[in-house]
């Protein structure tokens, strides 16, 4: 039966490296009660403050609405040119009569999905959100089920959505909830899987029904190179989700629980700027470096070297004290024959808030099957002593 092998840093002689390059900076601070900062390219968690505490997302729900529609486009449940009819419910609840954020969709008109997405993300339009929901699933409630199913699929395990707009529920009904960690994960999925639609978040303006409106994301233009995603307000305070790319490095930041939009902007600046003020990219291993050895069953050799499948570049704090560990994890022993270059495990950088970076590990060489005697000895060893 396969065992999961876990090797700590000391097992492969990285202690000296860790003491000189692994550090935890106490200097990044924010007034936000809830905050999260990550590097989506390599999964590094740079900063976490009550990142798993639930809060009401408000209009940030529309980022999830957009992602759900992006996925429907990817799976061809709907097409960009598909026309969606504007119901009286969508018009009255989210359109001009509602006096809220709207793209001023005309009642009983038909609008293409691509235009509704622009209205949703540029105008923050409630009518666009409802129209899209009804177009895909017939009702807001049915679309919310689609949202929750997709949230579960992409790992948003602490989130729950009740409608596509972020409107508060009827009295006595549970409200939508999410976490900073979940929102950062959502942004990462959008950047990774739906990059062809990501530009909508930073589209500066959109005209519909002869009404010109500029992008309503209050964070755009306020933080250098911020190009998405959104902001919201609920009874839990003001929240923001941002993605920023500078000089080829992208970070995702989340803040929540702020008392005003001004404090939200200040907190977002604190977190985003911290990525450049207190962290730098450090190469722990280069591609092809041997990091550990994996046990092999039934082979001519009992072990095979594991090497980094790519450079292990991690954003690490500039100063402070040691607070990270290295672990190699694989399912083993590996059964011979073993091919060179097979991805069989991963290197994990573990901080006080959990895994902050993962890198795939590949076999450095091939291991041919052993002869009958060698296989028998391996079998006897497993029977008597197990694999350790």
């Amino acid at each position: 039966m396969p065992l999961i092998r876990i090797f700590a840093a000391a097992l492969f002689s990285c202690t000296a490296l860790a003491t000189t390059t692994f550090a935890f900076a106490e200097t990044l601070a924010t007034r936000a009660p809830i905050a999260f900062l990550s590097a989506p390219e390599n999964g590094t968690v740079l900063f976490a403050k009550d990142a798993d505490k639930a809060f009401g997302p408000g209009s940030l729900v529309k980022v999830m609405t957009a992602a759900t529609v992006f996925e429907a486009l990817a799976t061809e449940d709907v097409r960009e040119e598909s026309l969606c009819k504007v119901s009286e419910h969508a018009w009255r609840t989210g359109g001009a009569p509602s006096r809220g954020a709207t793209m001023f969709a005309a009642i009983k008109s038909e609008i293409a999905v691509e235009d509704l997405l622009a209205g949703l993300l540029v105008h923050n339009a409630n009518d666009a959100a409802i129209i899209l929901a009804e177009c895909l699933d017939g009702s807001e409630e049915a679309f919310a089920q689609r949202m929750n199913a997709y949230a579960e699929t992409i790992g948003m395990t602490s989130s729950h959505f009740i409608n596509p707009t972020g409107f508060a529920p009827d009295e006595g009904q549970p409200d939508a909830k999410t976490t900073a960690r979940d929102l950062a994960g959502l942004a990462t999925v959008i950047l990774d899987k739906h990059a062809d639609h990501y530009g909508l978040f930073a589209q500066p303006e959109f005209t519909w029904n002869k009404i010109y409106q500029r992008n309503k994301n209050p964070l755009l233009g306020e933080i250098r190179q911020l190009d998405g995603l959104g902001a919201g307000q609920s009874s839990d305070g003001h929240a923001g989700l941002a993605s920023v790319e500078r000089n080829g490095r992208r970070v995702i930041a989340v803040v929540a629980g702020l008392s005003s939009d001004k404090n939200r902007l200040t907190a977002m600046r604190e977190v985003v700027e911290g990525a450049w003020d207190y962290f730098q990219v450090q190469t722990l291993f280069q591609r092809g470096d041997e990091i550990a050895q994996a046990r092999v069953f039934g082979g001519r050799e009992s072990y095979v070297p594991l090497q980094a499948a790519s450079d292990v570049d991690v954003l690490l704090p500039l100063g402070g004290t040691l607070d990270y560990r290295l672990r190699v994890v694989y399912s083993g022993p590996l059964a011979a024959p073993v091919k060179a270059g097979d991805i069989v495990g991963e290197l994990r950088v573990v901080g006080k808030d959990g895994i902050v970076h993962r890198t795939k590990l590949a076999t450095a060489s091939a291991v041919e099957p052993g002869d009958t005697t060698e296989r028998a000895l391996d079998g006897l060893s497993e029977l008597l002593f197990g694999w350790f």
Side-chain angles (χ1 to χ4, degrees), residues 25-40:
E26 301 290 352
T27 43
L28 197 163
T30 175
R31 69 196 63 198
I34 297 171
F36 190 78
L37 178 67
S38 64

Side-chain angles (χ1 to χ4, degrees), residues 117-374:
L117 281 170
L120 176 73
L121 298 178
V122 179
H123 295 172
N124 194 33
N126 296 310
D127 51 356
I130 298 171
I131 296 163
L132 285 166
E134 293 179 336
C135 188
L136 264 69
D137 293 302
S139 69
E140 292 186 71
E141 294 77 16
F143 183 77
Q145 293 179 15
R146 181 192 288 260
M147 294 172 73
N148 289 318
Y150 187 51
E152 183 177 355
T153 297
I154 62 177
M156 298 179 70
T157 57
S158 299
S159 297
H160 181 74
F161 304 99
I162 61 171
N163 58 48
T165 58
F167 284 168
D170 295 334
E171 187 174 353
Q173 297 299 311
D175 201 351
K177 291 292 180 183
T178 191
T179 67
R181 195 183 303 273
D182 274 5
L183 285 176
L186 171 62
T188 300
V189 168
I190 291 173
L191 287 162
D192 182 45
K193 292 189 61 180
H194 307 298
D196 51 336
H197 300 294
Y198 181 71
L200 284 170
F201 288 99
Q203 184 173 314
E205 53 80 25
F206 182 60
T207 299
W208 188 258
N209 207 10
K210 299 181 180 180
I211 298 173
Y212 169 89
Q213 296 185 72
R214 295 195 62 79
N215 196 304
K216 286 186 168 59
N217 182 351
L219 301 175
L220 276 176
E222 299 293 338
I223 297 175
R224 186 164 56 91
Q225 267 82 60
L226 185 150
D227 54 19
L229 298 152
Q233 179 184 0
S234 72
S235 59
D236 294 324
H238 291 70
L241 170 63
S243 181
V244 178
E245 184 176 24
R246 297 177 187 168
N247 302 321
R249 185 203 300 179
R250 181 174 291 278
V251 297
I252 293 170
V254 185
V255 296
L258 283 307
S259 60
S260 68
D261 54 355
K262 181 179 179 180
N263 287 340
R264 174 179 57 201
L265 176 58
T266 300
M268 185 62 80
R269 281 178 175 149
E270 292 168 343
V271 175
V272 167
E273 297 302 334
W276 279 268
D277 291 343
Y278 304 123
F279 296 86
Q280 68 179 6
V281 176
Q282 298 190 42
T283 300
L284 304 185
F285 299 97
Q286 293 183 338
R287 179 181 179 181
D289 283 352
E290 181 178 336
I291 295 177
Q293 291 195 341
R295 192 75 165 87
V296 177
F297 175 81
R300 291 191 178 275
E301 290 82 31
S302 298
Y303 292 90
V304 62
L306 298 183
Q307 62 186 13
S310 59
D311 289 352
V312 182
D313 296 327
V314 184
L315 272 171
L316 294 175
L318 294 172
T321 57
L322 175 66
D323 201 31
Y324 288 98
R325 302 183 308 279
L326 297 178
R327 289 180 181 170
V328 169
V329 179
Y330 73 98
S331 180
L334 307 179
V338 175
K339 295 180 180 178
D342 280 353
I343 302 298
V344 297
E346 65 180 20
L347 172 69
R348 297 176 181 176
V349 182
V350 184
K352 68 175 185 178
D353 294 308
I355 298 170
V356 300
H357 180 82
R358 300 172 188 261
T359 297
K360 292 179 181 179
L361 294 178
T363 50
S365 59
V367 178
E368 297 298 326
D371 57 28
T372 304
T373 301
E374 289 167 326

Side-chain angles (χ1 to χ4, degrees), residues 47-67:
F47 182 80
K49 181 179 179 182
D50 268 346
D52 299 306
K53 182 178 180 180
F55 62 89
S59 285
L60 275 174
V61 163
K62 291 177 181 134
V63 179
M64 184 66 202
T65 297

